[in-house]
Amino acid sequence: MLHSNTSLKPHNTFGVDVSAAYYAEFDSIKRLAELLEQKKDLPLFILGGGSNILFTKDYKGLVLKNEILGFKTVEESNNSVVVEAGAGMNWHAFVLKCIDLNYGGVENLSLIPGNIGASPMQNIGAYGVEIKDVFEYLDAVHIETGEVKRFYKTDCAFGYRESVFKRKLKGKYIICHVAYRLNKNNHLLNTSYGAIETELKNNNIERPTIRDVSNAVIAIRQSKLPDPNKIGNAGSFFKNPVVPQKTLQVLLETHPNIPHYPAPNNEAKLAAGWLIEQAGWKGKTFEGRFGVHKKQALVLVNYNNAKGKEILSLSDQIIADVAHKFDVSLEREVNIL
Ligand code: FAD
Ligand code: EPU
């Protein structure tokens, strides 16, 4: 059913109160086709869990929430399995289901909010793993023609928080199913990143399983990231900037402790959270309603009924200040609408 003038507040983890001129949910490709037929010339926005969006104004078009569910094995060998899930399945529920089945590969991506359908959009990543490492294919409906197309890894142009769906094909496809290839045995655990090893050690775990790694990641995330059910936020508001070696060397002269990591093409990745903290923004609040999270400077938060425009304006000020103090450009990760 097509609803008119619907509040999107329950549908975005920032908890911003805006409305959609039209709103509908679909749980099958057939239902989606009917809605696309009805949509006529309205602008269209596809919504998943709303955990990577900042709405700055009412949406004048049609918001379609993807609720296609399902989880099935489409291929299996002695060592690996390909599982396909509906775009509307919650990402963390998918990770837990894989762990229950002893399928390894996504345990480091535990507790990332949102749904399966958005996971390839920005090639979600955490703790040394990105979905591109296990991605097999996705099926998506072309908005104009209604045709279903299968995209393989090489079609998706995955990069750090990037894919073809954020660039060349932005707004053209609706992702309906995504398939991942996971390991059935001899799991290759990735525990070298961040505090995972320390967390395992603190729990006296010497031979971790994929569930142990998942639990460690969950504990680390809960210790520093705000829970969107309690404090409105969309995770990292900015990407970590990737800069040429020359820029890093200049920064190291004045800031010898600046965190930096190797990036592709001999570039260096800086920690936006560090830059924002050093610039003095960490923990700042404005009128008690919104601000920069006190434990993670990369996360902007809505404490109490802030407007999307206020949060966007704060992000502009942070971008300008970091550029002024470090000569580094921050790019937003969150989708602004
Ligand atoms: P939405 O926010 O609903 O949509 C995001 C974008 O994808 C929009 O442009 C939307 O139009 C598009 N989209 C959504 N579904 C579809 C579809 N089916 N077809 C076509 N387009 C679609 N991200 C990380 O990568 N790593 C992290 O560690 C991480 N941690 C987070 C922690 C917190 C506390 C929060 C709140 C967010 C975090 N995020 C992280 C960001 C976010 O969880 C991910 O980007 C997630 O994949 C967004 O999923 P979603 O379903 O909520 O997408
Ligand atoms: N840091 C600070 N101050 C801060 C925050 C971070 O100095 O307030 C420093 C830390 O001390 C550390 C470095 O920055 O040296 C990196 O911090 P952290 O490990 O917390 O990770 P991050 O770079 O801030 C990234 C992702 C997260 C992901 C984590 C774990 C981006 C934009 N963010 O955060 O993803 O969960 O690593 O892998 O790449 C998201 O995309 O929404 C997200 C939460």
Side-chain angles (χ1 to χ4, degrees):
M1 203 174 77
L2 211 56
H3 302 272
S4 51
N5 202 16
T6 303
S7 170
L8 295 176
K9 192 172 178 180
H11 300 297
N12 72 96
T13 60
F14 253 123
V16 167
D17 196 5
V18 291
S19 65
Y22 298 96
Y23 175 88
E25 297 169 353
F26 60 94
D27 58 7
S28 68
I29 292 184
K30 185 168 169 279
R31 181 74 193 114
L32 169 62
E34 289 163 9
L35 287 164
L36 289 177
E37 186 60 33
Q38 257 178 293
K39 129 188 147 57
K40 307 225 166 33
D41 292 327
L42 287 174
L44 189 66
F45 183 74
I46 307 301
L47 188 63
S51 66
N52 207 17
I53 300 172
L54 178 67
F55 287 108
T56 59
K57 50 183 178 295
D58 291 338
Y59 191 71
K60 303 287 182 208
L62 168 62
V63 171
L64 284 183
K65 181 146 195 248
N66 192 329
E67 300 215 317
I68 298 175
L69 296 177
F71 178 99
K72 66 179 182 191
T73 300
V74 292
E75 194 189 306
E76 187 159 8
S77 68
N78 286 342
N79 297 321
S80 74
V81 61
V82 177
V83 288
E84 185 191 280
M89 183 175 191
N90 173 267
W91 172 263
H92 184 58
F94 170 79
V95 170
L96 292 181
K97 184 142 189 150
C98 294
I99 292 170
D100 285 345
L101 293 162
N102 196 31
Y103 297 162
V106 284
E107 57 280 358
N108 291 46
L109 304 175
S110 296
L111 212 62
I112 296 181
N115 296 345
I116 284 278
S119 58
M121 290 297 296
Q122 68 160 12
N123 174 30
I124 56 168
Y127 296 92
V129 173
E130 292 180 330
I131 61 97
K132 73 167 169 43
D133 304 331
V134 285
F135 180 86
E136 190 73 10
Y137 65 80
L138 65 81
D139 290 334
V141 170
H142 191 273
I143 291 173
E144 292 303 323
T145 65
E147 274 172 43
V148 179
K149 182 174 168 180
R150 179 156 292 188
F151 291 80
Y152 293 95
K153 198 191 297 193
T154 47
D155 304 320
C156 295
F158 288 130
Y160 166 60
R161 298 294 189 271
E162 279 298 344
S163 78
V164 72
F165 303 102
K166 280 181 74 177
R167 298 281 164 190
K168 210 169 79 186
L169 299 183
K170 190 177 164 119
K172 301 234 180 294
Y173 280 93
I174 301 172
I175 297 168
C176 290
H177 295 94
V178 187
Y180 288 105
R181 182 177 290 277
L182 303 168
N183 247 338
K184 283 170 63 181
N185 37 50
N186 298 327
H187 295 308
L188 285 170
L189 299 183
N190 190 336
T191 58
S192 58
Y193 191 98
I196 298 182
E197 263 161 20
T198 315
E199 183 65 30
L200 292 169
K201 214 180 245 169
N202 289 346
N203 289 298
N204 299 317
I205 296 167
E206 279 172 16
R207 290 183 176 191
T209 62
I210 52 174
R211 192 178 298 281
D212 293 327
V213 173
S214 167
N215 287 336
V217 167
I218 289 172
I220 299 165
R221 293 182 69 97
Q222 285 175 335
S223 73
K224 52 181 168 186
L225 287 168
D227 176 353
N229 291 319
K230 295 181 184 145
I231 302 175
N233 77 93
S236 300
F237 200 88
F238 307 95
K239 293 183 186 183
N240 283 326
V242 176
V243 299
Q245 283 298 330
K246 220 170 79 190
T247 308
L248 172 63
Q249 295 314 319
V250 172
L251 284 165
L252 278 168
E253 281 169 23
T254 41
H255 305 90
N257 298 329
I258 189 168
H260 57 94
Y261 314 91
N265 306 320
N266 194 31
E267 294 197 299
K269 195 190 267 183
L270 306 177
W274 186 91
L275 295 168
I276 297 168
E277 179 174 351
Q278 296 300 309
W281 292 91
K282 191 169 180 171
K284 277 204 169 176
T285 58
F286 300 86
E287 300 164 28
R289 294 186 301 116
F290 63 100
V292 181
H293 189 52
K294 54 182 184 303
K295 292 189 194 162
Q296 228 304 359
L298 206 39
V299 179
L300 302 191
V301 284
N302 176 9
Y303 290 113
N304 181 17
N305 254 336
K307 297 205 177 317
K309 275 198 177 125
E310 294 174 309
I311 295 167
L312 181 64
S313 158
L314 170 60
S315 75
D316 281 337
Q317 292 172 54
I318 293 172
I319 290 173
D321 196 34
V322 167
H324 174 68
K325 290 185 171 135
F326 297 98
D327 201 17
V328 171
S329 310
L330 291 184
E331 195 187 328
R332 292 181 189 90
E333 176 192 302
V334 170
N335 299 281
I336 310 293
L337 245 93

